[in-house]
Amino acid sequence: MGNVTIRILARHLQLSAATVSKALADSHEISGPTKKRVLEMAAALNYTPNPYASSLRRKKSRTIAVILPEVADSFFSQAINGIEAIAQDKGYHVLVCLTHERTLKEQAILHEMLGGRADGILISVTSETTDPASILELQEKGVPVVFFDRVCEGIDTARIVTDDAQSAYKATDHLIRQGCKQIAFLAISEGLSISHQRIEGYKQALTAHGIRFNGSDIIPCTHDAEENLRSLKKIMRQQHRPDGIIASVEKLAVQVYQACREENIRIPEDIKVIGFSNLVTAAYLNPALTTITQPAFEMGRAAASLLFKALGNKSFSLSQNIQVIPSELQVRDSTH
Amino acid sequence: MGNVTIRILARHLQLSAATVSKALADSHEISGPTKKRVLEMAAALNYTPNPYASSLRRKKSRTIAVILPEVADSFFSQAINGIEAIAQDKGYHVLVCLTHERTLKEQAILHEMLGGRADGILISVTSETTDPASILELQEKGVPVVFFDRVCEGIDTARIVTDDAQSAYKATDHLIRQGCKQIAFLAISEGLSISHQRIEGYKQALTAHGIRFNGSDIIPCTHDAEENLRSLKKIMRQQHRPDGIIASVEKLAVQVYQACREENIRIPEDIKVIGFSNLVTAAYLNPALTTITQPAFEMGRAAASLLFKALGNKSFSLSQNIQVIPSELQVRDSTH
DNA sequence: CTGAAAGCGCTAACAA
DNA sequence: TTGTTAGCGCTTTCAG
């Protein structure tokens, strides 16, 4: 490819490769005039460094990996935006790796990271993840790992989360105050800590209002939209249909609307709905959806910032570093 | 980091590094038993290859870069999902680079790519991009570039687009048939080919129906939501308010809803609205939004597939390779 | 079928 | 302040 390398630059300048390298790195060992000459020649020959040679030599990649279940919902999209913004600012690159909610894929990706592809990892685990082994392994290798949103128990590292339990409490409390007597909670994988937290908050709110918790009000949902829709519609047709629903993730909220429409159930008259969601369109839905809005962008930024702190300062400990960024209850028509 | 390298593996196995390398690559030069021994040892020592050493040596990174304006809307999110799916399948990694709609940032990223960070590029240009120079430069270096959605004129390479002109035609035609007499077209940067195409389709539909095109019905919009909202509200307050609106990108559709609400304009009674959008919630908006739905995921997949074809076969020419994946008009209440 | 040797492009000791 | 040298970990001739 006749690529221009540091050696070629050096030859043109009658300098050594080392000098050129240092000059490009703006090292204090190099004189002003030389730096200037080097920079000019680099521009003239359109020099671009080979990042992999540098990575190999320095044993750092200036790349972070973001490992996510999927990028097709508002939360993760917004989070990526936040992460990328910080990374770009620090001169880092962002590798996006999707697990498609599969632990196996996740483990494969994590294992691969042992090779040093990324200097640090931001991860939101799959809903199946239970085994922390591959993450521990990375940590032992000295690769900092920061969890955001979906954390994995059994690993002591930084976590950026939102106040899941409290938010669920607020949501439930709100529904009860709006007159709901039987509130269904649409849950994804119970293994997931956010799921667990949200369920806890839900239970506590029930208790606080003297309502007995009924296990069958927790509706386990899947990642199969069709399947969810079927179960939701079935619930809507029941004798004792719930009069309130909490959708613990964005997709489920949309599916509730769909189920209600297909079964001719009116929101909020027949059933009140609240969703954990970052939909920009929440206010314009029919009816406007009451949401627990998560600070996705901020969580992304916070997670990345923390990771870069760890990257910049080897003695900085991520351990026990838990940041809780509160979500916001935005009351709209679906719970009137 | 006491990392286990091919040399260490070799020492443990009493083999040479070359043999181990070949065995790991499943080379036909290596005997079955040896391969097996190597693989077992690799697993036992938890060997993970250093991707950068390999990249440096082979001059390919098994990485593609996706360069996008932003990832915060449904179209690009879905596209990334499609791209990542294919890339993962091919054993490639995906670097996501955001330009934040800035040409300068875009050029910097593109220029950096000359260093060989990625083997191929998928790009959807910013709305400001006019200068194809940095992209040409990459092509000259032999880095395949595939455009998707937002293409840049003046460069001969593969493009995955949707039928922008036709879609806009259909949208306009639909509004006219629904009785609209004055249709406003909310445009983003006119330099952008998709914008241009869509405006063309709009004009043609007007002409086909014998309606005179009025330049002031093209409303230029920005990336500043506040600003757009202000201009939209101003339009809503006009004497001769349009009775139909085409939002040429997703964000603008949402802003129209907002403006209408704040100005007490009823959709579809006072004004009919249609949006280019991939919102999963379109059907549940108030009123349900008539959309031109783009095949985002498919476009992502198609773009990635094409790129990998070029990557896999150096003699495969991306030139003149234009794939048009049609969008779909989904009629809903906002144009009734 | 296996191994020795060279080198991808860069950087970091160390010497001058 | 600049240069020499070695080597990051891997792959690829080429020789055995």
Side-chain angles (χ1 to χ4, degrees), chain A residues 52-169:
Chain A
Y52 299 127
S54 171
S55 294
L56 177 58
R57 180 61 232 240
R58 312 190 21 202
K59 303 204 170 206
K60 34 187 15 238
S61 58
R62 294 193 78 77
T63 297
I64 63 172
V66 180
I67 305 178
L68 302 174
E70 209 85 48
V71 69
D73 90 349
S74 324
F75 179 81
F76 288 124
S77 311
Q78 290 170 28
I80 290 186
N81 247 4
I83 291 163
E84 213 275 352
I86 297 279
Q88 210 172 80
D89 197 54
K90 303 276 181 187
Y92 272 68
H93 285 261
V94 177
L95 219 44
V96 171
C97 306
L98 306 186
T99 59
H100 303 287
E101 297 281 9
R102 271 186 258 281
T103 336
L104 246 72
K105 187 73 220 170
E106 188 174 69
Q107 281 175 351
I109 292 169
L110 253 10
H111 185 260
E112 220 223 82
M113 290 297 157
L114 287 172
R117 189 177 289 273
D119 297 341
I121 312 271
L122 292 177
I123 184 170
S124 204
V125 300
T126 78
S127 48
E128 301 171 342
T129 305
T130 50
D131 182 11
S134 2
I135 297 176
L136 283 169
E137 211 177 1
L138 272 164
Q139 290 192 295
E140 279 160 21
K141 278 246 174 172
V143 180
V145 178
V146 173
F147 286 112
F148 73 101
D149 194 47
R150 298 180 175 194
V151 308
C152 177
E153 303 301 336
I155 291 180
D156 180 23
T157 189
R159 304 164 171 215
I160 310 293
V161 292
T162 185
D163 54 344
D164 290 296
Q166 269 219 44
S167 300
Y169 185 102

Side-chain angles (χ1 to χ4, degrees), chain A residues 1-4 46-53 55-56 59-63 69-73 76-78 80-81 84-85 88 93-100 105 109 111-118 137 140-142 250 254 257-259 261-262 279-288, chain B residues 1-4 46-53 55-56 59-63 69-73 76-78 80-81 84-85 88 93-100 105 109 111-118 137 140-142 250 254 257-259 261-262 279-288:
Chain A
M1 260 321 95
N3 231 319
V4 28
N46 201 12
Y47 168 76
T48 31
N50 180 321
Y52 299 127
S55 294
L56 177 58
K59 303 204 170 206
K60 34 187 15 238
S61 58
R62 294 193 78 77
T63 297
E70 209 85 48
V71 69
D73 90 349
F76 288 124
S77 311
Q78 290 170 28
I80 290 186
N81 247 4
E84 213 275 352
Q88 210 172 80
H93 285 261
V94 177
L95 219 44
V96 171
C97 306
L98 306 186
T99 59
H100 303 287
K105 187 73 220 170
I109 292 169
H111 185 260
E112 220 223 82
M113 290 297 157
L114 287 172
R117 189 177 289 273
E137 211 177 1
E140 279 160 21
K141 278 246 174 172
E250 186 170 295
V254 180
Y257 271 55
Q258 193 176 352
R261 176 161 308 177
E262 294 181 15
L279 285 169
V280 282
T281 50
Y284 305 104
L285 292 181
N286 184 14
Chain B
M1 264 314 100
N3 231 320
V4 28
N46 200 13
Y47 168 76
T48 32
N50 180 320
Y52 298 128
S55 295
L56 177 58
K59 304 205 172 207
K60 37 189 11 239
S61 58
R62 294 192 79 76
T63 298
E70 210 84 49
V71 68
D73 90 349
F76 288 125
S77 311
Q78 289 170 31
I80 290 185
N81 247 6
E84 214 275 351
Q88 210 172 77
H93 286 261
V94 177
L95 218 45
V96 171
C97 307
L98 305 185
T99 59
H100 304 285
K105 187 74 220 168
I109 293 169
H111 185 258
E112 221 222 81
M113 291 296 157
L114 288 172
R117 188 177 289 273
E137 210 177 2
E140 278 160 21
K141 277 243 174 176
E250 187 170 295
V254 180
Y257 271 54
Q258 192 176 352
R261 177 161 308 177
E262 294 181 16
L279 285 169
V280 282
T281 51
Y284 305 104
L285 291 182
N286 184 13

Side-chain angles (χ1 to χ4, degrees), chain B residues 155-194:
Chain B
I155 292 181
D156 180 22
T157 189
R159 306 166 170 214
I160 309 294
V161 292
T162 184
D163 54 344
D164 290 297
Q166 269 218 43
S167 300
Y169 186 102
K170 276 193 282 187
T172 313
D173 178 76
H174 172 66
L175 285 178
I176 295 171
R177 287 177 197 276
Q178 294 301 104
C180 293
K181 303 287 178 213
Q182 192 201 339
I183 300 172
F185 184 98
L186 308 186
I188 48 171
S189 161
E190 294 205 33
L192 216 47
S193 71
I194 53 166

Side-chain angles (χ1 to χ4, degrees), chain A residues 8-54:
Chain A
I8 296 180
L9 265 187
R11 196 165 308 144
H12 279 261
L13 289 157
Q14 308 270 53
L15 286 171
S16 75
T19 306
V20 174
S21 173
K22 287 174 194 162
L24 290 171
D26 200 19
S27 157
H28 56 87
E29 307 181 15
I30 304 295
S31 74
T34 305
K35 277 185 191 167
K36 189 151 168 286
R37 279 211 316 138
V38 171
L39 258 22
E40 279 168 7
M41 184 60 80
L45 299 191
N46 201 12
Y47 168 76
T48 31
N50 180 321
Y52 299 127
S54 171

Side-chain angles (χ1 to χ4, degrees), chain B residues 71-302:
Chain B
V71 68
D73 90 349
S74 322
F75 179 80
F76 288 125
S77 311
Q78 289 170 31
I80 290 185
N81 247 6
I83 292 164
E84 214 275 351
I86 297 280
Q88 210 172 77
D89 198 55
K90 302 277 181 186
Y92 272 68
H93 286 261
V94 177
L95 218 45
V96 171
C97 307
L98 305 185
T99 59
H100 304 285
E101 297 281 9
R102 269 186 261 282
T103 335
L104 245 72
K105 187 74 220 168
E106 187 174 69
Q107 281 176 350
I109 293 169
L110 253 9
H111 185 258
E112 221 222 81
M113 291 296 157
L114 288 172
R117 188 177 289 273
D119 297 342
I121 312 271
L122 292 176
I123 185 170
S124 204
V125 301
T126 78
S127 49
E128 302 172 341
T129 305
T130 50
D131 182 11
S134 2
I135 298 177
L136 283 169
E137 210 177 2
L138 272 162
Q139 291 192 294
E140 278 160 21
K141 277 243 174 176
V143 179
V145 177
V146 172
F147 286 111
F148 73 103
D149 195 46
R150 297 180 175 194
V151 309
C152 177
E153 302 302 337
I155 292 181
D156 180 22
T157 189
R159 306 166 170 214
I160 309 294
V161 292
T162 184
D163 54 344
D164 290 297
Q166 269 218 43
S167 300
Y169 186 102
K170 276 193 282 187
T172 313
D173 178 76
H174 172 66
L175 285 178
I176 295 171
R177 287 177 197 276
Q178 294 301 104
C180 293
K181 303 287 178 213
Q182 192 201 339
I183 300 172
F185 184 98
L186 308 186
I188 48 171
S189 161
E190 294 205 33
L192 216 47
S193 71
I194 53 166
S195 204
H196 185 71
Q197 296 284 317
R198 289 174 190 178
I199 289 174
E200 272 314 302
Y202 160 78
K203 284 185 190 168
Q204 277 171 24
L206 291 182
T207 309
H209 284 273
I211 300 178
R212 212 173 62 77
F213 165 66
N214 183 344
S216 66
D217 284 337
I218 303 278
I219 319 289
C221 294
T222 68
H223 296 293
D224 179 345
E226 295 299 319
E227 201 178 323
N228 290 341
L229 192 61
R230 271 196 300 278
S231 24
L232 285 173
K233 283 164 78 170
K234 201 169 130 201
I235 288 164
M236 297 303 171
R237 284 193 298 264
Q238 278 171 8
Q239 282 276 349
H240 295 290
R241 188 189 338 112
D243 55 2
I245 280 206
I246 299 175
S248 70
V249 297
E250 187 170 295
K251 277 184 191 168
L252 294 175
V254 180
Q255 284 160 16
V256 168
Y257 271 54
Q258 192 176 352
C260 285
R261 177 161 308 177
E262 294 181 16
E263 292 294 325
N264 286 310
I265 308 280
R266 295 163 308 165
I267 308 173
E269 294 83 353
D270 300 332
I271 195 166
K272 303 194 196 305
V273 180
I274 186 166
F276 280 78
S277 159
N278 286 59
L279 285 169
V280 282
T281 51
Y284 305 104
L285 291 182
N286 184 13
L289 174 65
T290 294
T291 56
I292 296 289
T293 303
Q294 296 157 281
F297 186 83
E298 286 71 24
M299 285 171 74
R301 282 179 63 97

